[in-house]
């Protein structure tokens, strides 16, 4: 076999293994997003826009943004790191002051409600973990590990169980 071809095959196989080993990001995951050089903010993935584009919501800020895969620096395990001092992830955003009392939202479901959620044409039992907005909820699918928890829009919820 030609040495050049053999070398090319070796490089191609090695790079494909590296790409294949990386677990893809999913909606609902808590990640760090690079804002400026060395300044990463914790955010939740709220929507997958394409193969390499996501919509994220910055934790602790009233700010959603579309970002590329290159800006996602990894998953957050455990408590999120504090944001860099003196910066905000979006020009128009301000830090959200978290009070001791949960926000009262006029939402049709509340944490602890047992619901049914559509996913890829099937219906699955779930529990509401958190009200994100009046039409968006963080849910846990019953019988599945926490890695499958995700934010769902109201139109994906079929009703209570």
């Amino acid at each position: 076999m030609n040495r050049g071809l053999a070398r090319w095959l070796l490089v191609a196989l090695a790079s494909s293994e590296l790409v294949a080993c990386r677990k893809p990001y999913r909606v609902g995951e808590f990640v760090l997003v690079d804002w400026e050089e060395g300044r990463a903010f914790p955010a939740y993935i709220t929507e997958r826009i394409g193969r390499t584009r996501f919509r994220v919501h910055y934790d602790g800020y009233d700010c959603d943004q579309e970002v590329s895969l290159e800006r996602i620096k990894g998953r957050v395990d455990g408590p999120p790191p504090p944001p860099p001092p003196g910066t905000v992830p979006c020009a128009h955003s301000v830090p959200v002051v978290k009070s001791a009392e949960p926000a009262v939202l006029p939402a049709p479901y509340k944490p602890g409600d047992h619901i049914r959620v559509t996913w890829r044409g099937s219906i699955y039992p779930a529990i509401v973990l958190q009200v994100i907005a009046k039409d968006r909820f963080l849910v846990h699918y019953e019988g599945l590990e926490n890695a499958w928890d995700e934010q769902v829009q109201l139109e994906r919820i079929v009703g209570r169980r």
Side-chain angles (χ1 to χ4, degrees):
M1 184 187 295
N2 181 336
R3 276 191 167 179
L5 178 61
R7 189 178 203 180
W8 179 85
L9 282 172
L10 229 133
V11 170
L13 282 173
S15 65
S16 69
E17 283 182 28
L18 290 175
V19 172
C21 290
R22 220 186 325 174
K23 184 178 170 188
Y25 293 108
R26 294 193 333 239
V27 171
E29 283 193 292
F30 199 29
V31 296
L32 281 176
V33 178
D34 187 29
W35 178 249
E36 293 175 343
E37 278 186 37
R39 294 180 177 175
F41 285 85
Y44 290 95
I45 297 175
T46 58
E47 181 182 356
R48 185 179 188 128
I49 297 170
R51 273 187 50 187
T52 61
R53 303 224 33 102
F54 298 88
R55 178 162 296 285
V56 298
H57 175 80
Y58 290 99
D59 187 44
Y61 294 88
D62 184 20
C63 177
D64 291 1
Q65 187 178 57
E66 187 176 317
V67 298
S68 65
L69 181 61
E70 293 82 31
R71 288 187 50 202
I72 298 176
K73 297 304 176 191
R75 292 172 176 84
V76 175
D77 295 321
T87 60
V88 293
C90 298
H92 67 278
S93 70
V94 294
V96 175
V97 177
K98 294 181 180 180
S99 65
E101 293 295 316
V104 178
L105 299 172
Y109 303 102
K110 63 185 182 320
D113 282 352
H114 292 264
I115 58 174
R116 296 177 296 141
V117 178
T118 59
W119 188 77
R120 293 190 178 181
S122 296
I123 298 174
Y124 296 92
I127 298 172
V128 176
L129 296 177
Q130 181 181 359
V131 177
I132 306 297
K134 67 180 179 181
D135 62 345
R136 196 168 66 206
F137 306 86
L138 177 63
V139 301
H140 171 76
Y141 293 101
E142 293 182 14
L144 297 178
E145 61 189 25
N146 293 348
W148 289 97
D149 294 358
E150 71 170 334
Q151 290 185 27
V152 297
Q153 297 290 338
L154 183 60
E155 53 266 11
R156 285 187 50 204
I157 299 175
V158 177
R160 287 184 169 80
R161 291 186 299 118

